[in-house]
Amino acid sequence: MKFKDQIARRRTFGIISHPDAGKTTLTEKLLLYGGAIQEAGAVKSNKIKKGAASDFMEIERQRGISVATSVLAFEYDNKKINILDTPGHKDFAEDTFRTLTAVDSVIVVIDVAKGVEEQTEKLVEVCRMRKIPIIVFINKMDREGKDAFDLMDEIEQKLSLRVVPLSFPIGMGYDLKGIYNLQRKNVNIFTGDSVKQHKNVTSINDLSDPKLDELVGTKAADTLREEIELVEGIYPDFNRQEYLDGELQPVFFGSALHNFGVKELLDGFIEIAPAPRSKKAEERLVQPDEKDFSGFVFKIHANMDPRHRDRLAFVKVVSGVFERNTAYKHVRLDKNLKFSSPNAFFAEKKEIVDESFPGDIVGLHDTGNFKIGDTLTSGEELHYKGIPSFSPEHFRYINNADPMKSKQLAKGVDQLMDEGVAQLFTLELNGRKVIGTVGALQFEVIQYRLEHEYGATCAYENLNVHKACWVDTADENSAEFLDFKRVKAKFLAHDKRGQLVFFADSAFSLQMTQQKYPSIKFHFVSEFDRINEN
Ligand code: G4P
């Protein structure tokens, strides 16, 4: 197959949701359609039910599962589909944010009864800022939930999206009769039998077709007619370009558990979702069909088995073909590296591959060369943008609890930070180390991993920080900036890249500081000038 055709047939996307909305169930049903798995229950949920670190550790110990489900690839309708897994647990949100830098589109799953939940809001905001094309799937239609119009209103309000339904439910919960496909003008009747579900599709000429009454009963048919009239009056026509530009979000309804509406979603996705897109590097915009290979590391997975210290770096191929046993330039280290056993991912396994194309994810064994955000190329000096750090929510001093193991601690902390488990800051005044995390759970994870993988013990000490703000000034020698540095010296730190960070101890103090120093900008994201760019 030609290189360009290989690119055109790839769809790399992520499924995002608030925990329990049905992401795992939907993923599994998509894989069933792809024939990638044979039975339901094959995809293990990697969510952390009780929110305890021990659960996380247990999951991590089952390396096979969590590494293999990081990327789930399958073939459907002659398309190569790569689903990138995103942890739903909020303490691992940063991991999800980074994964979103490697997707070309997303599907957002919303529970019809719960509506828009907190985690969904945060994740969709990141997608919106990056103009990632979004499809919305409203799940659990077999249960009583919110009215479809109210829910779409809520999505528009809370998520600042502009939606257009491409399918519409006929009834809901106990009364769910089926789903009407607005584009293909057919009705899928709900029987509750998940295996045969997608075989109950009947085409109708238009909504006045009496076949509709036969299928769902006159009452439901009339309600649907009224509702579709309303849909056509309120919502814009679907326009693919607007969807691709992140300006219009198509909505599908269904029940992942009953495999209902999932095929409509998948077929709709295949038809409209983008193939791998161009990506901005600091130097220039890189097109997927360029001959030379380039890619970037968006995730690093550590091996928890202390006998195997190697890690797996996940590289998204942006352009060209990644080939096994070929030397590529690690731009940050200015070093050529060859990979003899790059992994490709399939539904439940990973395998060594000779070639990977734009849109694909390759897993590279790494003994400590990679950091999140690193770029690999065929030789060109490129730096991919857009893997920012967000201000952590929790901050603690990290102290060495075993003076004999200070080297191990330093190495462990260093490597865990490279993996993106948390962020490390060094206070300017006294050099003390501060760990910042998105969730409290990570502190336990770090402690556990330091002990089990590096033989080091650490102790934490509380630190009252509201937000870490990356400091941005046009003039480092201005009187205002120098005064800021002097007055706030106690609250200044550097992140791992050496960028200056201000620890605001409350929203109020941040506001006061901003008022006092109007020329200084305080950002909650490390790549402040780049977040809007893809
Ligand atoms: P997540 O990955 O987004 O966290 O959600 P997951 O798929 O694990 O689904 C969360 C719960 O919701 C599961 O029930 C799942 O069976 C249920 N669910 C998913 N889709 C639907 C649907 O369309 N309709 C209904 N009624 N339920 C759905 P659970 O009892 O928490 O887990 P399990 O014991 O069934 O695995």
Side-chain angles (χ1 to χ4, degrees):
M1 195 182 293
K2 277 199 223 124
F3 175 49
K4 282 204 173 175
D5 294 337
Q6 287 286 10
I7 301 172
R9 76 185 202 97
R10 275 165 169 76
R11 300 284 180 276
T12 302
F13 75 108
I15 304 180
I16 56 177
S17 72
H18 193 85
D20 274 346
K23 182 164 69 77
T24 312
T25 313
L26 177 64
T27 306
E28 182 176 284
K29 295 295 147 63
L30 293 174
L31 292 176
L32 278 170
Y33 279 111
I37 53 170
Q38 302 309 323
E39 59 189 275
V43 178
K44 296 282 175 295
S45 165
N46 64 357
K47 73 184 157 184
I48 303 153
K49 290 223 157 142
K50 284 170 281 176
S54 57
D55 285 1
F56 171 76
M57 251 64 92
E58 190 42 54
I59 290 160
E60 287 298 295
R61 231 175 276 122
Q62 303 171 9
R63 300 304 299 169
I65 295 171
S66 53
V67 170
T69 58
S70 289
V71 183
L72 296 159
F74 64 97
E75 297 264 340
Y76 178 78
D77 198 17
N78 202 24
K79 300 278 186 300
K80 163 103 188 277
I81 299 175
N82 296 313
I83 306 181
L84 306 197
D85 187 39
T86 54
H89 195 286
K90 73 170 175 22
D91 286 10
F92 296 90
E94 184 126 6
D95 213 24
T96 301
F97 293 148
R98 282 190 294 257
T99 300
L100 291 178
T101 63
V103 302
D104 296 303
S105 70
V106 300
I107 293 179
V108 180
V109 182
I110 290 176
D111 180 327
V112 68
K114 297 200 176 133
V116 174
E117 296 175 87
E118 184 199 342
Q119 202 54 19
T120 317
E121 276 185 64
K122 284 195 190 155
L123 296 172
V124 168
E125 193 183 336
V126 174
C127 296
R128 231 180 343 98
M129 285 192 302
R130 293 174 176 276
K131 298 209 176 298
I132 298 175
I134 300 173
I135 291 178
V136 179
F137 181 68
I138 297 181
N139 191 28
K140 307 198 186 180
M141 290 306 294
D142 57 310
R143 286 195 184 166
E144 292 305 320
K146 302 189 181 192
D147 168 77
F149 288 103
D150 290 347
L151 192 50
M152 286 192 286
D153 264 2
E154 185 180 328
I155 292 170
E156 293 206 317
Q157 307 277 324
K158 287 200 182 161
L159 301 179
S160 306
L161 299 180
R162 205 173 133 240
V163 302
V164 50
L166 293 190
S167 76
F168 206 82
I170 309 171
M172 168 194 296
Y174 185 71
D175 274 334
L176 179 67
K177 298 274 192 298
I179 279 176
Y180 176 62
N181 186 326
L182 278 107
Q183 294 221 297
R184 300 198 175 162
K185 302 223 184 310
N186 62 35
V187 177
N188 188 356
I189 296 298
F190 180 67
T191 62
D193 177 349
S194 63
V195 180
K196 298 204 190 92
Q197 208 46 259
H198 62 272
K199 296 186 178 131
N200 287 304
V201 179
T202 310
S203 294
I204 50 175
N205 297 329
D206 57 53
L207 283 168
S208 61
D209 193 333
K211 230 193 289 173
L212 181 65
D213 300 74
E214 279 166 38
L215 285 167
V216 300
T218 306
K219 195 166 160 244
D222 283 343
T223 310
L224 179 70
R225 288 179 184 115
E226 280 167 28
E227 287 176 332
I228 296 301
E229 205 180 308
L230 213 54
V231 165
E232 284 165 355
I234 303 175
Y235 297 101
D237 287 341
F238 175 69
N239 174 314
R240 182 167 183 236
Q241 195 53 47
E242 284 186 316
Y243 154 73
L244 294 176
D245 293 341
E247 281 160 14
L248 186 67
Q249 288 76 27
V251 178
F252 290 86
F253 292 82
S255 163
L257 186 66
H258 291 98
N259 198 359
F260 186 63
V262 176
K263 189 167 187 296
E264 283 83 350
L265 172 72
L266 182 56
D267 289 336
F269 170 81
I270 293 288
E271 208 174 303
I272 64 173
R277 312 206 291 171
S278 55
K279 190 164 176 75
K280 265 188 187 147
E282 268 164 35
E283 295 76 6
R284 65 186 184 86
L285 186 67
V286 180
Q287 301 296 341
D289 59 359
E290 291 181 21
K291 196 171 95 292
D292 291 337
F293 160 75
S294 69
F296 66 97
V297 178
F298 67 95
K299 178 184 180 116
I300 293 177
H301 224 301
N303 195 334
M304 299 271 285
D305 181 346
R307 284 165 303 170
H308 301 280
R309 187 52 79 63
D310 67 331
R311 312 185 287 183
L312 205 57
F314 289 74
V315 174
K316 161 106 189 253
V317 179
V318 176
S319 66
V321 184
F322 177 93
E323 289 170 339
R324 190 175 151 205
N325 280 326
T326 303
Y328 291 115
K329 177 172 173 161
H330 184 308
V331 177
R332 180 175 55 83
L333 299 181
D334 192 19
K335 191 160 122 179
N336 280 335
L337 299 174
K338 243 188 211 176
F339 303 91
S340 59
S341 51
N343 282 293
F345 301 88
F346 300 96
E348 288 164 288
K349 56 184 193 295
K350 54 185 173 63
E351 259 172 25
I352 293 175
V353 276
D354 292 327
E355 288 183 330
S356 298
F357 296 93
D360 284 341
I361 310 299
V362 246
L364 303 178
H365 289 280
D366 171 41
T367 46
N369 282 318
F370 288 116
K371 281 186 193 192
I372 288 192
D374 279 344
T375 304
L376 270 184
T377 71
S378 294
E380 189 177 346
E381 189 78 10
L382 286 177
H383 298 83
Y384 279 111
K385 294 174 155 195
I387 304 210
S389 300
F390 293 82
S391 173
E393 305 277 323
H394 304 264
F395 298 83
R396 291 188 197 165
Y397 287 117
I398 179 165
N399 299 325
N400 185 7
D402 180 353
M404 305 294 285
K405 300 278 171 65
S406 59
K407 250 195 188 155
Q408 285 87 333
L409 183 78
K411 182 167 181 201
V413 169
D414 204 43
Q415 294 206 346
L416 293 184
M417 300 305 128
D418 285 353
E419 270 177 43
V421 176
Q423 293 177 56
L424 184 73
F425 302 96
T426 309
L427 281 179
E428 223 178 40
L429 207 59
N430 52 20
R432 287 192 74 180
K433 307 277 186 213
V434 173
I435 297 235
T437 65
V438 175
L441 196 57
Q442 266 106 333
F443 289 110
E444 283 177 63
V445 171
I446 292 167
Q447 204 160 30
Y448 178 96
R449 291 192 52 190
L450 283 172
E451 199 177 321
H452 289 82
E453 292 170 48
Y454 299 91
T457 36
C458 73
Y460 296 118
E461 214 179 300
N462 276 335
L463 175 69
N464 176 32
V465 177
H466 162 66
K467 284 271 183 206
C469 313
W470 279 268
V471 178
D472 181 17
T473 177
D475 181 4
E476 291 197 354
N477 297 316
S478 70
E480 187 176 321
F481 189 65
L482 294 174
D483 186 59
F484 163 75
K485 285 198 73 174
R486 188 179 53 78
V487 173
K488 298 291 179 190
K490 243 173 67 186
F491 302 97
L492 295 180
H494 286 104
D495 71 2
K496 268 206 84 182
R497 290 191 229 160
Q499 284 175 278
L500 187 66
V501 172
F502 170 55
F503 283 166
D505 53 11
S506 67
F508 180 70
S509 88
L510 178 58
Q511 200 187 345
M512 297 310 288
T513 310
Q514 181 67 83
Q515 270 172 20
K516 190 169 170 200
Y517 303 103
S519 77
I520 302 174
K521 290 206 181 84
F522 299 97
H523 302 275
F524 296 148
V525 181
S526 66
E527 290 196 14
F528 28 84
D529 51 345
R530 302 170 192 160
I531 182 74
N532 288 318
E533 300 168 36
N534 204 7

